[in-house]
C-alpha cells in the first residue's frame, strides 16, 4: 500500500440545530456534534491512519465550521499533505480577482486597503493569504495586517470587543466601536470591499456611493452565494457608482449595459482553483500544501483573462474553457511544487505533457 495516493475529501455533516436534527429530509447524521476535545482526538486518529495506509495521500477538509476549519488546518498543514478549499481555495480565487482589479487600476496589491463584511473562516483565510502576498511585495506582516479591516454581525473588529476568536484578533485594529458599515467605510477609507457575509443586499446604495466618493475605481466583491445572498448585483454596483465600480460576484451574472458601456461581471468560483491545485498535488504527490501554491494558482488564473475583456471589467476567465484554464493553472502550480522540493516523484522532462497525462478522461471503452 506504500504506493497508494490520491485525495481524500472529509466533509463534516453533523448538526446542533434541533430543527434540522429532526427534519425528515435531513440526510446528514442525526447526532449532535461531539465536544471539540473529542472531535480533535478523533481527527488525529484519522489523519494518523491515513498516513499509515495511504502515505502519499492528500486530505481535503470540506465544510467544517469556522473555528474548527481554521484550527484543524493549522493543526496539520505543516505535518501532512492537506488543505481546506473553503479557506484556501476561496482565498485563491478572490486573490485572482484582486490581482486583475489592480491591473485595471494600475496599482499593486500593497497600494490597496481592504474592508471585509464577514469575518469567518473564508474571510480570515483570504486575509491571511493576502497578507502573505503583501509581505512578498515588501511590507512587514504588521503593516500588511494593518491594511485589512473586518466587520461581522457585531460590528467592526476592534480591540475592545470580547467576543473575538484568536484568529480574528490580528485584524482588530484600534478604532472607535461601530456597527455602521457605511460609517466604517468613511473612516477607514478602503479601496476594496469584500462581501462574505451571506446577507443578500448588504451592499446598499449608501455603501456603494460611499465607496465611490472616496475612490475613482472602487472594487466591489460581492462573494456570497447563492444569488439571493449576493451583497449586491452588478447592475446595482455599476449604476450606483455611475460606472466606476470594478465588480465580481460569487455567482454568475449576465453582462450589464450602462451608459453606453457593456460590463462583464466575473464569478469568483473555486472551480478555477480547486481542481487545478488538486491536479498539481495529485500529479506531484506533494509532501505539503503551501500557501504559495494558492498564490501561484491565483496569478495563473488572473493571467488567463484576455486584455480586451479585462478592460470591460471581467476579472476571471470565461467559464466555457474551464478545463484548459485549470490545466494551465495546474502546470504552474506543479512547477512551483518541483521548484520548492515538495514533490515525491521525479521531475518529468515535459511538465505540460506530464500534467495533461494525469487528467481524467471520461471515455467509455467498448466491451464488444
Amino acid at each position: 500500500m506504500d504506493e497508494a495516493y490520491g485525495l481524500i475529501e472529509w466533509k463534516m455533516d453533523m448538526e446542533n440545530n434541533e430543527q434540522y436534527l429532526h427534519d425528515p429530509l435531513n440526510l446528514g447524521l442525526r447526532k449532535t456534534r461531539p465536544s471539540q476535545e473529542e472531535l480533535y482526538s478523533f481527527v488525529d486518529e484519522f489523519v494518523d491512519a491515513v498516513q499509515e495506509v495511504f502515505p502519499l495521500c492528500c486530505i481535503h477538509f470540506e465544510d467544517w465550521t469556522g473555528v474548527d476549519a481554521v484550527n484543524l488546518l493549522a493543526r496539520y498543514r505543516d505535518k501532512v499533505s492537506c488543505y481546506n478549499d473553503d479557506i484556501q481555495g476561496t482565498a485563491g480565487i478572490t486573490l485572482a480577482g484582486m490581482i486583475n482589479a489592480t491591473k485595471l487600476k494600475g496599482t499593486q496589491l500593497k497600494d490597496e486597503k481592504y474592508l471585509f463584511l464577514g469575518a469567518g473562516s473564508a474571510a480570515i483565510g483570504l486575509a491571511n493569504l493576502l497578507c502573505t502576498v503583501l509581505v512578498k511585495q515588501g511590507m512587514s506582516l504588521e503593516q500588511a495586517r494593518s491594511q485589512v479591516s473586518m466587520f461581522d454581525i457585531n460590528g467592526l473588529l476592534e480591540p475592545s470587543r470580547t467576543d473575538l476568536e484568536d484568529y480574528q484578533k490580528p485584524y482588530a485594529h484600534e478604532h472607535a466601536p461601530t456597527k455602521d458599515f457605511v460609517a466604517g467605510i468613511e473612516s477607514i477609507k478602503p479601496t476594496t470591499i469584500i462581501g462574505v457575509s451571506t446577507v443578500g443586499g448588504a451592499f446598499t446604495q449608501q455603501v456603494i456611493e460611499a465607496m465611490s466618493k472616496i475612490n475613482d475605481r472602487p472594487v466591489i466583491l460581492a462573494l456570497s452565494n447563492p444569488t439571493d445572498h449576493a451583497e449586491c448585483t452588478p447592475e446595482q454596483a455599476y449604476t450606483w457608482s455611475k460606472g466606476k465600480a470594478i465588480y465580481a460576484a460569487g455567482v454568475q451574472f449576465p453582462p450589464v449595459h450602462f451608459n453606453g458601456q457593456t460590463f462583464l461581471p466575473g464569478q469568483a468560483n473555486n472551480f478555477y482553483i480547486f481542481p487545478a491545485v488538486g491536479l498539481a498535488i495529485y500529479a506531484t504527490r506533494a509532501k505539503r500544501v503551501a500557501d504559495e501554491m494558492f498564490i501561484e494558482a491565483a496569478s495563473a488564473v488572473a493571467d488567463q483573462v484576455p486584455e480586451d475583456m479585462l478592460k470591460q471589467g471581467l476579472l476571471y476567465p470565461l467559464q466555457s474553457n474551464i478545463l484548459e484554464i485549470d490545466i494551465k493553472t495546474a502546470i504552474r502550480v506543479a512547477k512551483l511544487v518541483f521548484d520548492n522540493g515538495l514533490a515525491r516523484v521525479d521531475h518529468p522532462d515535459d511538465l505540460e505533457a506530464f500534467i495533461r497525462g494525469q487528467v481524467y478522461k471520461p471515455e467509455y471503452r467498448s466491451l464488444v
Side-chain angles (χ1 to χ4, degrees), residues 162-337:
T162 59
D163 60 336
L164 301 181
E165 300 289 346
D166 286 343
Y167 59 79
Q168 295 173 317
K169 291 178 181 177
Y171 303 103
H173 310 305
E174 290 294 341
H175 191 285
T178 181
K179 292 187 177 183
D180 186 333
F181 192 62
V182 173
I185 290 172
E186 291 172 344
S187 61
I188 295 168
K189 293 181 170 50
T191 60
T192 302
I193 53 173
I194 304 107
V196 283
S197 67
T198 71
V199 179
F203 289 170
T204 62
Q205 183 171 348
Q206 290 74 26
V207 166
I208 304 302
E209 288 177 347
M211 284 294 293
S212 301
K213 187 178 296 184
I214 58 176
N215 294 288
D216 290 333
R217 298 299 307 276
V219 181
I220 312 295
L221 304 178
L223 303 183
S224 295
N225 60 71
T227 304
D228 60 353
H229 288 180
E231 283 79 11
C232 70
T233 67
E235 186 172 11
Q236 290 170 334
Y238 298 133
T239 301
W240 294 337
S241 69
K242 295 181 171 59
K244 295 168 62 175
I246 298 171
Y247 175 94
V251 294
Q252 188 61 57
F253 284 102
V256 173
H257 306 286
F258 174 77
N259 199 26
Q261 290 180 276
T262 298
F263 296 94
L264 303 176
Q267 183 186 9
N269 193 308
N270 287 12
F271 61 37
Y272 291 108
I273 298 287
F274 180 16
V277 173
L279 176 56
I281 293 168
Y282 173 81
T284 63
R285 319 292 191 251
K287 299 174 187 177
R288 302 285 183 272
V289 182
D291 276 348
E292 286 74 17
M293 294 160 68
F294 290 93
I295 294 169
E296 183 64 20
S299 180
V301 170
D303 287 346
Q304 294 181 68
V305 178
E307 184 68 25
D308 59 332
M309 291 185 174
L310 180 61
K311 289 179 179 178
Q312 289 183 270
L314 185 65
L315 301 184
Y316 299 102
L318 295 176
Q319 298 175 11
S320 56
N321 201 26
I322 186 63
L323 177 58
E324 188 64 21
I325 292 164
D326 277 332
I327 290 172
K328 289 179 178 177
T329 301
I331 292 167
R332 284 183 47 174
V333 175
K335 182 180 184 302
L336 184 142
V337 173

Side-chain angles (χ1 to χ4, degrees), residues 118-140:
S121 59
I124 297 297
L126 171 54
N128 290 345
L129 192 71
L130 175 62
C131 286
T132 299
V133 178
L134 297 181
V135 170
K136 288 179 178 294
Q137 292 188 353
M139 287 185 165
S140 68

Side-chain angles (χ1 to χ4, degrees), residues 41-103:
S41 176
F42 174 71
V43 178
D44 283 342
E45 186 176 347
F46 172 83
V47 171
D48 288 343
V50 168
Q51 301 314 300
E52 181 178 346
V53 180
F54 304 113
L56 300 181
C57 183
C58 177
I59 300 171
H60 168 223
F61 294 104
E62 174 74 15
D63 284 353
W64 291 75
T65 58
V67 174
D68 291 336
V70 173
N71 289 345
L72 290 173
L73 180 61
R75 192 179 184 95
Y76 303 113
R77 64 182 304 165
D78 295 327
K79 299 177 182 178
V80 303
S81 182
C82 69
Y83 70 105
N84 184 309
D85 183 58
D86 298 321
I87 296 176
Q88 294 162 290
T90 299
I93 192 56
T94 309
L95 178 61
M98 291 177 167
I99 290 170
N100 273 341
T102 60
K103 289 179 184 177

Side-chain angles (χ1 to χ4, degrees), residues 109-154:
L109 291 170
K110 67 179 182 179
D111 302 319
E112 304 296 304
K113 199 166 188 179
Y114 309 89
L115 177 60
F116 286 77
L117 185 61
S121 59
I124 297 297
L126 171 54
N128 290 345
L129 192 71
L130 175 62
C131 286
T132 299
V133 178
L134 297 181
V135 170
K136 288 179 178 294
Q137 292 188 353
M139 287 185 165
S140 68
L141 181 57
E142 184 178 359
Q143 288 173 326
R145 286 172 170 170
S146 72
Q147 297 295 100
V148 180
S149 298
M150 294 189 177
F151 256 75
D152 67 6
I153 192 171
N154 294 316

